């Protein structure tokens, strides 16, 4: 059975159908890229998966558990981690404390009022930071980090509660080309080591074609292609969406 | 209640609606364009009444002279407003919201003392409007002619404003700026003068609202805060920036208040509800309800999320050993103070006051610093704790020790209710709602004579015998303050402290890692309420009683100033701020009648020059010196 099953979801904003009858599945241990030009419905789809938007109809199931109508918080509890297009971390906390926050939240210990937080999960947090190569900056405030480093901290946070599914909205936006490859290779390693499933949107095509196991393409709210790198490269519909049909340049 | 009585009350409601609308429309206009919630708007209204008193007394004997005097007064107020905008407000448009609110509040204090200086402390009754001194008969009851004119003026001004905003180029610019300031400035519009002109128009309306009241009410120094409270309510209920919304809200609120008065005392389930005394409560209840079900008001539009400039705050670190030793030495010194009673007889009394202020400021800092929620009504918890303890001792005859514990529980109860609503909002709206709740507490205390002693308050609340000496009370207050500070500090370093700072930094991320942000903030509210309540309870025993003045807006603002004076970004800041503030208050207030103006200047100084507060500025300075000296020595080493 697939980890994530999306069945006929729809979402309209006023008269605009942002997502129109979209269905797809994501098996365990797969790195799935979600592609499409601006306005294709990628972000809308993402926001429905993590509970920030509610689909008008359809169902989203994680291992058979319905996610539609759930709060982002509850979806996280079901084992879905996520990173944002513009990284969101806690700027006034240190890198280590950012990780400790996630672990405290995982074990429902946030309302403890007495024992200092510094004594909780220090080792575990450092192990997680080590995986993304941020252990040596554990004591710095998140607000003073370079943007690429913030992205890595965010990834470590998203992975801290050992999710089954990781949602990444443009994970390499704003990063230098070298850093991009490192980050995606890191994610790819998690996919293999932990049998993690990842769904991500991305504008950098070399990242996508080099690392993604499979890709799906959206256009005008509809899913128009689904397959391997070669399938997508040669798909006439995808070519039309990205390059046009060529008719507009024909002599009248 | 008779039909004619009801009708007259409803007509009175229309009169009030008109004057409310004049003040609120100006406030709404200013907020719409400049995004500043102008606390001083009530002060411009008050100045309108005073200036009109002077002008009408001199030239208002003829009908024409009277109306010229009214318009002249409004123009004077508008001119003053424009001047203040150019000199002060232009410098705070880019400052964080909290600083903007405080800057305008400093104007309240300064303008009030200005009025005190020019017109003196006595209520001034002005002459009535010539030609309109009589009354007409409505269903057998007399209704003043002047009130009829008032009823007409409200809708007339609404019409003129509508024409101004919809049919002139300037009006189009104002409407455009209300929707998107950045866009308007990229189109080459001189924003500075647009803002100044809007501010002047807003002040003109406030001044006109005040001037028109001149024949009806005496000019007095309480008018500013009285009117700003209601004007806030009207603007929030109507929708910030919406003029028709302000009109609708003014009508709604004025008529609900009129109905309350018309209803008199209601008997429900054998309990008497003096509705006519519930007008203030009714007004703020309407606002609380609207804010919760439709946070952007009746005719307003949802505003963009408030700016959060907190992420620049450095992480909390455990204290250095040297700091711990200094603190220990300070505590030791405080313990020894009573030994020197002979030399400094007054020291213990002022220190008790400081300890209470420190605890109050620390509890406020907890919710506004790490919690990131700018409460403009922290006095509510102070007041609930104080009145809780006082009522338990005086009415229920409980011993002091028990009251000191049980009193603050009332504050906790208040924080549970108010906090639940408040955490659903953020930014200016949260500030307004907390302000509204504090006003509700204040008005209940002020109007519920049987239980709270009304305006007189409750007196004769003295400590138990073993604590009645100055020294015993000194040690009690010192230990409660120290325990309070240590517990609050402990909580900030605990997982919960991490959680509230995290929720403040990014609610998006907090949500995405399973944190229930609203619940975390709610609990933070309750913790702050508890310690604010404890400060209130101990205050009662140190003063021997409590009265409504001690728990009013002033207390909330004092708390904010203490926290900002010390520096909101440090834990030690509020302690320093509260101590210096209380000491300053004590020493300056004895020397001058114009303490408020001094306080206002201090606030302006903080806002304009030292936004990091005393501790923050010192710590910046220390880092700067350290950095430069280090650099210097390194350079020297390198040259060798």
């Amino acid at each position: 059975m697939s980890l994530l099953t999306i069945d006929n979801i729809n979402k309209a904003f006023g008269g605009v159908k942002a997502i129109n009858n979209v269905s797809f599945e994501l098996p365990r241990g797969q790195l799935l890229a979600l592609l499409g030009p601006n306005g294709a419905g990628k972000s809308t789809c993402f926001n429905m998966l993590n509970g920030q938007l509610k689909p008008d109809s359809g169902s989203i199931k994680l291992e058979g558990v319905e996610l539609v109508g759930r709060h982002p918080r509850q979806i996280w509890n079901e084992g879905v981690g996520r990173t944002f297009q513009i990284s969101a971390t806690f700027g006034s906390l240190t890198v280590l404390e950012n990780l400790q926050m996630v672990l405290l939240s995982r074990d429902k210990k946030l309302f403890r009022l007495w024992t200092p937080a510094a004594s909780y999960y220090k080792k575990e947090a450092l192990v997680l930071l080590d995986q993304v190569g941020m252990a040596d900056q554990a004591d710095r405030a998140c607000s003073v980090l370079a943007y690429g480093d913030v992205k890595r901290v965010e990834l470590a946070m998203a992975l801290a509660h050992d999710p089954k599914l990781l949602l990444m909205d443009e994970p390499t936006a704003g990063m230098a080309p070298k850093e991009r490859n490192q980050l995606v290779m890191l994610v790819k390693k998690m996919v293999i080591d932990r049998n993690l499933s990842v769904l991500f949107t991305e504008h950098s095509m070399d990242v996508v074609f080099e690392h993604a196991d499979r890709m799906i393409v959206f256009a005008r709210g509809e899913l128009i292609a689904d397959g391997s790198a070669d399938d997508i490269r040669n798909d006439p519909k995808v070519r039309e969406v990205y390059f046009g049909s060529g008719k507009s340049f024909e002599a009248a | 209640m008779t039909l004619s009585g009801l009708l007259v009350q409803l007509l009175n409601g229309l009169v009030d609606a008109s004057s409310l609308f004049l003040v609120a429309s100006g406030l709404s206009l200013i907020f719409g364009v400049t995004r500043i919630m102008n606390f001083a708007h009530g002060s411009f209204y008050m100045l309108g009444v005073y200036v009109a008193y002077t002008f009408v007394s001199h030239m208002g004997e003829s009908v024409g002279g009277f109306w010229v005097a009214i318009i002249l007064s409004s123009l004077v107020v508008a001119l003053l407003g424009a001047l203040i905008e150019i000199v002060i407000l232009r410098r705070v448009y880019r400052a964080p919201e909290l600083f903007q609110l405080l800057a305008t509040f400093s104007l309240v204090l300064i303008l009030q003392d200005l009025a005190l200086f020019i017109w003196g402390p006595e209520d001034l009754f002005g002459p009535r409007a010539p030609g309109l001194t009589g009354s007409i008969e409505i269903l057998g009851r007399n209704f003043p002619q002047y009130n009829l004119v008032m009823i007409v003026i409200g809708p007339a001004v609404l019409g003129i404003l509508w024409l101004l905003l919809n049919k002139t180029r300037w009006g189009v610019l104002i409407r455009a700026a209300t929707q998107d300031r950045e866009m308007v400035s990229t189109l080459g519009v001189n924003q500075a003068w647009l803002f100044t002109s809007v501010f002047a128009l807003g002040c003109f309306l406030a001044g006109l609202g005040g001037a028109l009241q001149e024949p009806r009410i005496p000019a007095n120094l309480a008018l500013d805060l009285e009117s700003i409270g209601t004007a806030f309510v009207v603007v929030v209920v109507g929708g910030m920036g919406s003029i028709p919304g302000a009109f609708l809200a003014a009508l709604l609120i004025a008529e609900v208040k009129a109905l309350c008065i018309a209803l008199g005392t209601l008997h429900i389930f054998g309990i008497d509800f003096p509705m006519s005394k519930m007008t203030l409560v009714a007004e703020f209840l309407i606002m609380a309800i609207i804010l919760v079900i439709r946070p952007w008001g009746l005719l307003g539009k949802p505003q963009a999320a408030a700016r959060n400039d907190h992420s620049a705050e450095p992480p909390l670190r455990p204290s250095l050993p040297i700091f711990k030793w200094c603190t220990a030495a300070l505590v030791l010194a405080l313990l020894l103070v009573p030994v020197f009673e002979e030399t400094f007889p007054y020291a213990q009394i002022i220190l008790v006051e400081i300890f209470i202020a420190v605890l109050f400021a620390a509890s406020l800092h907890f919710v506004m610093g790490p919690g990131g929620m700018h409460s403009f009504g922290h006095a509510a918890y102070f007041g609930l704790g104080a009145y809780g303890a006082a009522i338990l001792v005086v009415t229920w005859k409980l011993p002091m020790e028990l009251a000191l514990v049980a009193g603050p529980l009332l504050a906790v109860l208040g924080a549970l209710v108010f906090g639940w609503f408040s955490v659903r909002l953020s930014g200016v709206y949260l500030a307004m709602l907390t302000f509204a709740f504090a006003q509700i507490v204040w008005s209940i205390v002020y109007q519920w004579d049987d239980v709270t002693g009304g305006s007189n308050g409750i007196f004769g609340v003295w400590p138990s015998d073993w604590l009645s000496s100055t020294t015993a009370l000194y040690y009690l207050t010192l230990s409660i303050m120290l325990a309070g500070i240590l517990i609050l500090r402990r909580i900030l370093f605990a997982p919960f402290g991490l959680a509230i700072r995290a929720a403040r930094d990014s609610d998006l991320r907090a949500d995405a890692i399973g944190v229930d942000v609203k619940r975390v903030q709610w609990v933070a509210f309750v913790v702050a309420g508890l310690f604010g309540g404890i400060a209130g309870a101990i205050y009662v025993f140190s003063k021997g009683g409590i009265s409504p003045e001690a728990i009013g807006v002033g207390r909330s603002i004092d708390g904010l100033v203490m926290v900002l004076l010390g520096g909101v970004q440090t834990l030690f800041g509020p302690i320093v701020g509260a101590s210096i503030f209380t000491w300053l208050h004590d020493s300056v207030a004895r020397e001058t009648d114009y303490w408020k103006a001094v306080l206002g200047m201090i606030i302006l100084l903080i806002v304009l020059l030292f936004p990091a507060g005393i501790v923050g500025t010192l710590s910046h300075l220390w880092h700067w010196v350290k950095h430069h000296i280090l650099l210097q020595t390194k350079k020297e080493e390198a040259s060798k």
Side-chain angles (χ1 to χ4, degrees), chain B residues 570-590:
Chain B
T570 59
L571 295 190
F572 199 56
I575 300 176
V576 174
S579 309
I580 292 182
F581 180 90
T582 312
W583 172 76
L584 256 183
H585 187 179
D586 186 75
S587 45
V588 178
R590 265 185 297 174

Side-chain angles (χ1 to χ4, degrees), chain A residues 76 81-84 87-90 98 102 154-155 157-158, chain B residues 502 506-515:
Chain A
W76 177 83
R82 79 161 301 188
T83 66
F84 296 93
S87 286
T89 57
F90 306 125
N98 267 276
V102 188
E154 199 192 24
L155 178 62
M157 289 172 81
Chain B
S506 168
D507 54 350
L508 188 68
R509 172 44 72 196
D511 215 30
I513 60 163
V515 180

Side-chain angles (χ1 to χ4, degrees), chain A residues 39-99:
Chain A
K42 299 188 300 285
S43 292
T44 308
C45 178
F46 242 77
N47 289 337
M48 288 195 285
L49 288 180
N50 65 49
Q52 281 176 322
L53 281 179
K54 200 181 163 199
D56 298 334
S57 65
S59 106
I60 300 170
K61 285 196 170 120
L62 186 78
E63 288 187 322
V65 179
E66 182 60 67
L67 297 185
V68 170
R70 299 264 203 123
H71 196 271
R73 210 164 58 231
Q74 297 164 321
I75 292 176
W76 177 83
N77 253 329
E78 293 294 333
V80 180
R82 79 161 301 188
T83 66
F84 296 93
Q85 190 174 348
I86 298 166
S87 286
T89 57
F90 306 125
S92 74
L93 305 188
T94 64
V95 171
L96 183 71
E97 284 171 333
N98 267 276
L99 267 295

Side-chain angles (χ1 to χ4, degrees), chain B residues 11-82:
Chain B
L11 281 174
N12 277 333
L14 287 180
V15 177
D16 287 339
S18 269
S19 67
L20 262 181
F21 168 68
L22 286 179
V23 182
S25 59
L27 186 62
S28 198
L29 208 59
I30 291 173
F31 178 82
V33 174
T34 65
R35 288 285 176 276
I36 284 193
M37 205 62 207
N38 182 20
F39 257 106
H41 206 69
S43 311
F44 291 113
Y45 164 84
M46 177 182 78
L47 287 180
V49 185
Y50 272 111
V51 175
Y53 164 83
T54 304
F55 281 177
V56 173
S57 305
H58 281 92
M59 55 187 284
E61 278 151 38
S62 66
V63 177
F66 173 82
W67 292 105
V68 170
I70 297 290
I71 298 295
L72 264 183
S73 318
S74 321
L75 284 174
V76 167
V77 175
L79 206 67
L80 182 71

Side-chain angles (χ1 to χ4, degrees), chain B residues 205-275:
Chain B
L205 289 169
L208 181 63
L212 286 170
Q213 293 293 330
E214 182 274 336
R216 302 181 68 219
I217 55 171
N220 67 77
L221 293 168
L223 285 175
D224 51 356
L225 286 178
E226 252 170 47
S227 62
I228 192 63
T230 311
F232 271 155
V233 173
V234 171
V235 171
V236 170
V237 169
M240 300 215 202
S242 164
I243 304 289
F247 188 77
L248 204 65
L251 263 184
L252 175 73
I253 284 162
E255 289 302 343
V256 167
K257 286 169 90 167
L259 267 182
C260 278
I261 294 170
L263 282 173
T265 302
L266 279 188
H267 307 276
I268 305 171
F269 306 119
I271 305 171
D272 286 355
F273 287 97
M275 294 304 283

Side-chain angles (χ1 to χ4, degrees), chain B residues 35-317:
Chain B
R35 288 285 176 276
I36 284 193
M37 205 62 207
N38 182 20
F39 257 106
H41 206 69
S43 311
F44 291 113
Y45 164 84
M46 177 182 78
L47 287 180
V49 185
Y50 272 111
V51 175
Y53 164 83
T54 304
F55 281 177
V56 173
S57 305
H58 281 92
M59 55 187 284
E61 278 151 38
S62 66
V63 177
F66 173 82
W67 292 105
V68 170
I70 297 290
I71 298 295
L72 264 183
S73 318
S74 321
L75 284 174
V76 167
V77 175
L79 206 67
L80 182 71
L83 198 72
I84 286 176
E85 198 272 346
I86 292 170
V87 175
I88 296 169
L89 294 181
R90 276 193 188 177
R91 280 153 242 300
V92 300
Y93 286 134
R94 295 191 178 280
E97 225 157 52
L98 177 65
F99 282 73
Q100 297 177 343
L101 288 170
L102 274 169
T104 62
F105 196 84
S106 72
L107 295 176
V108 174
L109 299 169
I110 295 169
L111 291 178
Q112 197 176 71
D113 271 358
L114 181 74
L116 174 68
F117 179 74
I118 299 177
W119 287 281
E122 306 293 329
D123 286 10
L124 301 175
F125 291 85
R128 301 175 68 184
L132 294 167
T133 48
S135 58
I136 59 159
E137 212 180 88
I138 297 174
L139 295 179
R141 288 178 186 245
N142 286 331
F143 193 75
Q145 285 171 339
Y146 187 75
N147 284 4
L148 282 179
V149 176
M150 287 290 295
I151 292 179
V152 179
I153 285 179
V157 170
L158 175 66
I160 294 170
L161 278 178
W162 188 86
L163 285 176
L164 196 65
L165 289 176
N166 288 285
K167 300 290 171 194
T168 66
R169 182 187 133 80
W170 185 62
V172 173
L173 286 181
I174 292 178
R175 283 188 300 140
T178 308
Q179 278 189 9
D180 193 333
R181 271 199 290 181
E182 280 72 28
M183 196 63 210
V184 170
S185 67
T186 55
L187 293 177
V189 175
N190 185 339
Q191 257 198 331
W193 286 108
L194 184 67
F195 280 24
T196 308
S197 59
V198 167
F199 200 83
L201 175 65
C203 290
F204 177 85
L205 289 169
L208 181 63
L212 286 170
Q213 293 293 330
E214 182 274 336
R216 302 181 68 219
I217 55 171
N220 67 77
L221 293 168
L223 285 175
D224 51 356
L225 286 178
E226 252 170 47
S227 62
I228 192 63
T230 311
F232 271 155
V233 173
V234 171
V235 171
V236 170
V237 169
M240 300 215 202
S242 164
I243 304 289
F247 188 77
L248 204 65
L251 263 184
L252 175 73
I253 284 162
E255 289 302 343
V256 167
K257 286 169 90 167
L259 267 182
C260 278
I261 294 170
L263 282 173
T265 302
L266 279 188
H267 307 276
I268 305 171
F269 306 119
I271 305 171
D272 286 355
F273 287 97
M275 294 304 283
S276 50
K277 290 187 168 184
M278 293 292 180
T279 50
L280 276 175
V281 181
E283 168 184 326
F284 285 104
L285 268 182
I286 293 175
M287 164 158 154
I289 292 169
I290 291 281
L291 273 179
V292 171
I293 55 174
R294 206 179 147 82
W296 50 91
L298 292 176
L299 297 185
K301 296 199 182 82
Q303 302 277 342
R307 276 169 292 171
N308 252 333
D309 321 84
H310 280 290
S311 22
E313 188 164 309
L316 284 183
R317 311 271 186 191

Side-chain angles (χ1 to χ4, degrees), chain A residues 76 81-90 95 98-99 102 128-129 132 134 142 145-161 163 166-173 175 183 186-187, chain B residues 506 508-510 512-513:
Chain A
W76 177 83
R82 79 161 301 188
T83 66
F84 296 93
Q85 190 174 348
I86 298 166
S87 286
T89 57
F90 306 125
V95 171
N98 267 276
L99 267 295
V102 188
L128 284 161
L129 284 174
V132 297
M134 285 297 294
C142 254
L145 296 181
Y147 190 58
D149 291 343
V150 175
K151 289 230 147 191
R152 290 196 279 164
V153 173
E154 199 192 24
L155 178 62
M157 289 172 81
L159 290 171
H161 77 312
L166 179 60
L167 301 173
M168 304 177 86
D169 200 356
E170 301 206 13
T172 68
M175 287 176 103
L183 188 93
L186 190 71
V187 174
Chain B
S506 168
L508 188 68
R509 172 44 72 196
I513 60 163

